[in-house]
Amino acid sequence: MLLDLAGISNTSANLLFIEDLTMILDSSKDIEVRKLTLADHNAINDSLQKFRHMIEVVEIVDHHTDENLYTGTCSGTMRNIAFENGKALVASTTTLIAEMLLKRTSNPPVSLSTLLLGVILLDSVNLDESIGKVTPRDRDAVSNILTQTDWSNSSLLAYLKPSAGSQLTIDTNQLFSHLERAKYSPEFWKAFDVSRALGYDYKVFHYSRNNSKHRFGISTILMPVNQFMVKEGFLPKTAEFMRSKELTVLGIMLTFYDQTTGDFRRQLALCSSRYRWGVIGDDLIESKMYTYLALKEITSQQLTSDEIDVRIIVYEQGNVAPSRKQIGPMLVEFFASELDFDQDK
């Protein structure tokens, strides 16, 4: 929807996707190194790891925990990671991109302004202080985009409103409302099978324990757990997704608006392929993360066979302010220091 509003059509021809880059590298006959900028993450995608010798990360623009990778090729001002003391300094990486753009031009193109504005509004939940994500930098970015863009040539006719003098601006409340409806559309998420839903917005986190390195993943899904877990083949497909990503632990963050009350809600599902999952559950209850997130177990499922061994425990997240940017590092700390089981068994 946002691409359409920005006037970008035929995305397969006009945009380069990660699958496209993988195919380009896979079919490459030369040894030329491709220089990459990473945005909204600071580690290359799993699917690109086998091409690591062909990739040089020269710039990072992000607001997640710095994994301290590629420091030999990406440092100083080219390493723009807005995350300190366990907290993101902006609600959206797009805020950082807007800051960079507006340093280069005082009259940004309408198409770019539309994309930047829409994503910042979505990531900050319309600059809503009560959600706990928005920062002054996000507010400044939105304000500067609105005032420095000539919206008279915009195709956003339904969202235009008068501003000071004879100028036009964007009704951000109306734009956010429409984008948010599309983002959380039940029809959109119901159309995904389990594997596609888990991979749609998925990120990997790393930690060390007993002098060995481990990792886990977190998928974000915008629907309630009771709707997601009834999808066909939920448990075996979740187990297969974990195997394909070489995970022993997968987190699933379920974020949605309650259709009855209208309240913004979060749920956290933790999946493990290990038989001794009960130990993790017990340790989690005793952890500071459990208390801080105000977790309350609401359901669990387990499937054990000759080929599949997976158990899933789902918690209601009473404290809805922390998102994956905060919960990922919390789980890193938990798994690294509080997990009381042998990863290799």
Side-chain angles (χ1 to χ4, degrees):
M1 177 181 178
L2 186 55
L3 290 171
D4 290 337
L5 291 175
I8 300 175
S9 58
N10 193 12
T11 55
S12 60
N14 292 308
L15 298 176
L16 184 68
F17 296 91
I18 189 69
E19 294 82 4
D20 300 322
L21 181 56
T22 301
M23 288 190 293
I24 291 171
L25 293 172
D26 202 27
S27 61
S28 178
K29 304 297 184 183
D30 56 50
I31 57 173
E32 178 186 357
V33 174
R34 270 70 173 181
K35 295 183 178 182
L36 292 185
T37 293
L38 302 182
D40 205 28
H41 58 293
N42 56 78
I44 61 174
N45 187 282
D46 280 354
S47 63
L48 296 178
Q49 289 295 341
K50 66 178 180 178
F51 305 111
R52 186 65 191 89
H53 63 290
M54 302 171 65
I55 295 172
E56 181 178 305
V57 177
V58 297
E59 183 178 21
I60 296 175
V61 185
D62 188 26
H63 66 152
H64 298 88
T65 303
D66 189 351
E67 298 194 32
N68 296 311
L69 302 172
Y70 326 119
T71 54
T73 59
C74 178
S75 60
T77 57
M78 300 301 286
R79 195 179 189 88
N80 185 3
I81 301 179
F83 193 95
E84 290 181 1
N85 301 319
K87 185 177 181 180
L89 304 182
V90 290
S92 177
T93 292
T94 311
T95 292
L96 306 178
I97 296 172
E99 291 174 345
M100 296 164 64
L101 174 67
L102 294 174
K103 284 180 180 178
R104 291 168 170 78
T105 178
S106 59
N107 185 26
V110 173
S111 57
L112 279 180
S113 293
T114 301
L115 293 173
L116 295 171
L117 179 63
V119 176
I120 296 173
L121 291 176
L122 283 172
D123 285 347
S124 67
V125 194
N126 202 24
L127 307 178
D128 187 345
E129 296 281 357
S130 68
I131 302 298
K133 298 178 69 174
V134 67
T135 72
R137 291 173 70 178
D138 302 302
R139 292 187 176 281
D140 288 345
V142 168
S143 175
N144 291 334
I145 290 170
L146 290 173
T147 57
Q148 294 184 36
T149 303
D150 180 4
W151 298 104
S152 62
N153 296 319
S154 171
S155 60
L156 302 178
L157 299 179
Y159 309 101
L160 292 176
K161 68 177 185 179
S163 183
S166 59
Q167 300 297 313
L168 292 172
T169 190
I170 298 297
D171 185 332
T172 54
N173 291 327
Q174 188 175 10
L175 176 60
F176 169 77
S177 178
H178 288 179
L179 292 174
E180 186 81 339
R181 261 200 310 273
K183 177 181 177 180
Y184 286 92
S185 167
E187 291 73 23
F188 178 80
W189 286 95
K190 286 177 182 177
F192 282 7
D193 64 16
V194 172
S195 300
R196 188 178 178 194
L198 290 173
Y200 186 78
D201 186 1
Y202 167 78
K203 292 195 176 182
V204 176
F205 296 83
H206 300 86
Y207 67 96
S208 297
R209 179 172 171 80
N210 297 331
N211 298 318
S212 60
K213 295 187 179 297
H214 305 279
R215 65 183 200 159
F216 65 92
I218 300 181
S219 298
T220 298
I221 295 174
L222 306 184
M223 66 188 312
V225 70
N226 61 344
Q227 295 180 17
F228 184 56
M229 292 178 77
V230 298
K231 286 182 177 288
E232 182 180 358
F234 168 69
L235 279 175
K237 288 182 179 179
T238 298
E240 175 55 35
F241 180 84
M242 293 173 66
R243 279 198 299 269
S244 71
K245 301 295 184 181
E246 299 180 343
L247 302 175
T248 57
V249 177
L250 171 69
I252 306 174
M253 294 194 62
L254 302 112
T255 305
F256 58 97
Y257 284 93
D258 191 301
Q259 293 188 350
T260 302
T261 65
D263 293 338
F264 181 73
R265 292 173 59 187
R266 292 189 191 273
Q267 295 168 335
L268 175 64
L270 295 176
C271 320
S272 174
S273 59
R274 299 298 184 180
Y275 178 74
R276 296 181 64 194
W277 178 259
V279 178
I280 303 176
D282 293 340
D283 283 358
L284 182 64
I285 292 174
E286 299 299 324
S287 71
K288 59 184 180 182
M289 181 181 74
Y290 186 89
T291 302
Y292 177 71
L293 296 179
L295 298 178
K296 181 180 179 181
E297 183 177 339
I298 54 178
T299 189
S300 64
Q301 287 189 16
Q302 183 167 338
L303 177 60
T304 302
S305 68
D306 292 339
E307 298 180 354
I308 299 174
D309 178 14
V310 61
R311 188 180 183 197
I312 298 175
I313 300 179
V314 184
Y315 301 91
E316 186 75 25
Q317 184 181 321
N319 178 5
V320 299
S323 64
R324 183 169 56 186
K325 286 187 292 294
Q326 291 77 40
I327 292 178
M330 289 180 193
L331 285 171
V332 165
E333 180 182 355
F334 171 69
F335 289 139
S337 62
E338 299 186 44
L339 197 56
D340 187 22
F341 81 110
D342 189 343
Q343 291 269 5
D344 299 321
K345 287 185 179 179

